[in-house]
């Protein structure tokens, strides 16, 4: 029997339960379009497998799910992708149990694959300085790029937060940015005086020259908001010009922001708030930095360390 996912796209598979769950994520949880697409694809993949094996979603068991996981691994899904996939399924099953579609969670015995601990890629302070010094602020595009780079580093922004920022999201009186982050949650981030100065000049003198057609803070030559791809290309261009050989992205500035804060003495909870992490476990990828700092302080100040 031909596999159904060969005949039609994953997103063409549907089920009333899945549709209701996606509606819940959109309306009640306020998930972004990208996140919603990820959930839809993961659940569509499950529906495709069930149809291929002539299984019904309402009769799903842990044994069927183990077969499905074996199927995913056979397709070459790596541990990190598999863990994300399982997270999507667990969210759906929890919702389904709450709606009384299942008496008990069919995925309660599933365990996440062990993931290799990957430390975030970040720039040194000297590398950040080299990149920030490159844009030609005597030109409109150079000034725009300068401000974007300054804000990525000064506020630890995600690229989606940067391109989604509106002019009114900045309060020049107190030097604060209102950031619309993941899960449709707002957070306030203070920015330092250098970033404020460039942002003030950009908004007053540079941005009007782009003849804005949208209220996005950062615009392209047509007066419309920048895209993710546009920002990625700019980062790549400036990184290469700064002599940075490894591949970096807008997220590298976010990692650098968190790393340098912790190196400077900030606590993990503060960094969690500034990054907009809902759970501190997401911030704990930076604990190696905190541990190194504590070791240094211990060696420096403990009376037995100098003996």
């Amino acid at each position: 029997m031909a596999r159904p996912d060969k005949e039609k796209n994953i997103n063409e598979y549907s089920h009333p339960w899945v549709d209701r769950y996606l509606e819940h994520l959109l309306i009640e949880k306020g998930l972004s379009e990208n996140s919603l697409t990820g959930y839809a694809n993961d659940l569509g993949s499950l529906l495709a497998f069930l149809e291929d094996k002539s299984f019904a979603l309402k009769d799903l068991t842990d044994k069927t799910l183990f077969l499905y996981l074996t199927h995913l691994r056979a397709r070459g899904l790596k541990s990190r992708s598999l863990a994300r996939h399982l997270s999507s399924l667990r969210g759906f099953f929890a919702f389904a149990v709450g709606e009384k579609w299942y008496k008990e969670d069919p995925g309660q015995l599933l365990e996440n694959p062990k993931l290799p601990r990957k430390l975030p890629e970040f720039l040194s302070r000297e590398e950040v300085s080299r990149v920030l010094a490159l844009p030609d602020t005597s030109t409109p595009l150079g000034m725009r790029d300068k401000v974007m780079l300054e804000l990525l580093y000064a506020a630890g922004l995600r690229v989606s937060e940067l391109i989604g920022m509106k002019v009114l999201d900045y309060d020049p009186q107190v030097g604060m940015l209102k950031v619309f982050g993941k899960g449709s949650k707002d957070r306030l981030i203070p920015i330092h005086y250098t970033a404020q100065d460039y942002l003030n000049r950009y908004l007053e003198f540079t941005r009007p020259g782009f003849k804005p057609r949208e209220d996005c803070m950062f615009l392209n030559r047509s007066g419309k908001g920048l895209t993710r791809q546009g920002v990625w290309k700019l980062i790549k261009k400036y990184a290469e010009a700064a002599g940075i050989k490894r591949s970096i992205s807008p997220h590298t500035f976010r990692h650098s922001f968190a790393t340098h804060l912790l190196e400077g003495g900030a606590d993990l909870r503060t960094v969690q708030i500034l990054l907009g992490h809902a759970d501190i476990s997401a911030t704990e990828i930076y604990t190696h930095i905190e541990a190194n700092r504590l070791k240094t302080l211990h060696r420096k100040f403990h009376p037995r360390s100098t003996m």
Side-chain angles (χ1 to χ4, degrees), residues 15-24 43 57-60 91-106:
H15 188 282
W17 290 3
V18 172
D19 293 342
R20 173 67 188 93
Y21 177 58
L22 295 175
E23 181 183 277
H24 162 76
L43 292 167
L57 184 62
K58 66 182 179 64
D59 298 324
L60 199 63
F92 169 70
F93 294 145
F95 180 78
V97 171
E99 294 291 309
K100 296 184 169 40
W101 298 336
Y102 294 119
K103 289 184 179 179
E104 57 182 30
D105 185 348

Side-chain angles (χ1 to χ4, degrees), residues 72-141:
L72 292 178
R73 286 197 179 278
R75 280 173 43 192
L77 224 64
K78 303 299 183 186
S79 293
R80 197 167 296 278
S81 298
L82 191 59
R84 190 217 70 231
H85 211 100
L86 286 175
S87 176
S88 298
L89 297 185
R90 285 197 183 94
F92 169 70
F93 294 145
F95 180 78
V97 171
E99 294 291 309
K100 296 184 169 40
W101 298 336
Y102 294 119
K103 289 184 179 179
E104 57 182 30
D105 185 348
Q108 59 185 318
L109 298 179
L110 295 180
E111 292 185 1
N112 273 341
K114 289 186 178 180
L115 299 177
R117 187 165 182 82
K118 186 179 179 182
L119 298 180
E121 180 75 36
F122 62 90
L123 300 172
S124 68
R125 299 183 188 205
E126 189 270 335
E127 287 174 325
V128 170
S129 296
R130 291 208 314 264
V131 174
L132 294 182
L134 284 171
D136 180 2
T137 55
S138 66
T139 68
L141 289 176

Side-chain angles (χ1 to χ4, degrees), residues 16-277:
W17 290 3
V18 172
D19 293 342
R20 173 67 188 93
Y21 177 58
L22 295 175
E23 181 183 277
H24 162 76
L25 293 179
L26 174 66
I27 298 173
E28 298 175 41
K29 293 294 185 180
L31 259 61
S32 68
E33 184 177 342
N34 285 341
S35 297
L36 206 64
T37 299
Y39 277 99
N41 287 341
D42 291 342
L43 292 167
S45 175
L46 173 64
L47 293 176
F49 172 79
L50 294 177
E51 182 175 310
D52 183 47
K53 302 299 181 185
S54 301
F55 293 144
L57 184 62
K58 66 182 179 64
D59 298 324
L60 199 63
T61 65
D62 56 353
K63 292 183 178 63
T64 309
L65 284 174
F66 284 126
L67 285 175
Y68 176 57
L69 295 184
T70 303
H71 161 75
L72 292 178
R73 286 197 179 278
R75 280 173 43 192
L77 224 64
K78 303 299 183 186
S79 293
R80 197 167 296 278
S81 298
L82 191 59
R84 190 217 70 231
H85 211 100
L86 286 175
S87 176
S88 298
L89 297 185
R90 285 197 183 94
F92 169 70
F93 294 145
F95 180 78
V97 171
E99 294 291 309
K100 296 184 169 40
W101 298 336
Y102 294 119
K103 289 184 179 179
E104 57 182 30
D105 185 348
Q108 59 185 318
L109 298 179
L110 295 180
E111 292 185 1
N112 273 341
K114 289 186 178 180
L115 299 177
R117 187 165 182 82
K118 186 179 179 182
L119 298 180
E121 180 75 36
F122 62 90
L123 300 172
S124 68
R125 299 183 188 205
E126 189 270 335
E127 287 174 325
V128 170
S129 296
R130 291 208 314 264
V131 174
L132 294 182
L134 284 171
D136 180 2
T137 55
S138 66
T139 68
L141 289 176
M143 176 59 101
R144 180 205 64 186
D145 295 351
K146 170 70 172 177
V147 177
M148 287 196 304
L149 291 171
E150 287 283 356
L151 290 189
L152 282 172
Y153 180 58
L157 302 177
R158 300 177 177 95
V159 66
S160 58
E161 295 168 347
L162 180 78
I163 63 175
M165 192 167 289
K166 313 299 182 187
V167 173
L168 293 179
D169 290 335
Y170 170 56
D171 185 342
Q173 300 301 315
V174 293
M176 299 282 280
L177 294 174
K178 184 176 76 171
V179 179
F180 189 69
K182 276 188 175 181
S184 301
K185 293 180 180 178
D186 289 336
R187 68 184 189 278
L188 293 175
I189 305 178
I191 57 173
H192 54 70
Y193 293 119
T194 301
Q196 287 181 51
D197 180 53
Y198 280 110
L199 181 53
N200 290 339
R201 284 192 278 154
Y202 166 76
L203 290 176
E204 185 174 357
F205 303 112
T206 308
R207 187 179 178 276
F210 285 93
K211 298 180 180 178
R213 297 168 63 185
E214 297 177 0
D215 62 348
C216 295
M217 185 175 286
F218 298 107
L219 306 169
N220 60 23
R221 297 173 190 269
S222 303
K224 293 185 176 182
L226 288 171
T227 63
R228 288 170 174 265
Q229 292 78 8
V231 177
W232 274 71
K233 287 179 182 177
L234 287 172
I235 296 292
K236 183 178 180 181
K237 179 184 80 170
Y238 286 115
E240 289 177 351
I244 297 170
K245 303 300 182 185
R246 63 193 187 281
S247 178
I248 70 169
S249 70
H251 222 67
T252 309
F253 283 85
R254 180 170 163 87
H255 290 320
S256 304
F257 163 81
T259 299
H260 296 165
L261 279 178
L262 286 167
E263 286 178 344
D267 63 271
L268 209 59
R269 172 62 179 158
T270 299
V271 175
Q272 176 198 353
I273 293 170
L274 291 173
L275 289 176
H277 286 160

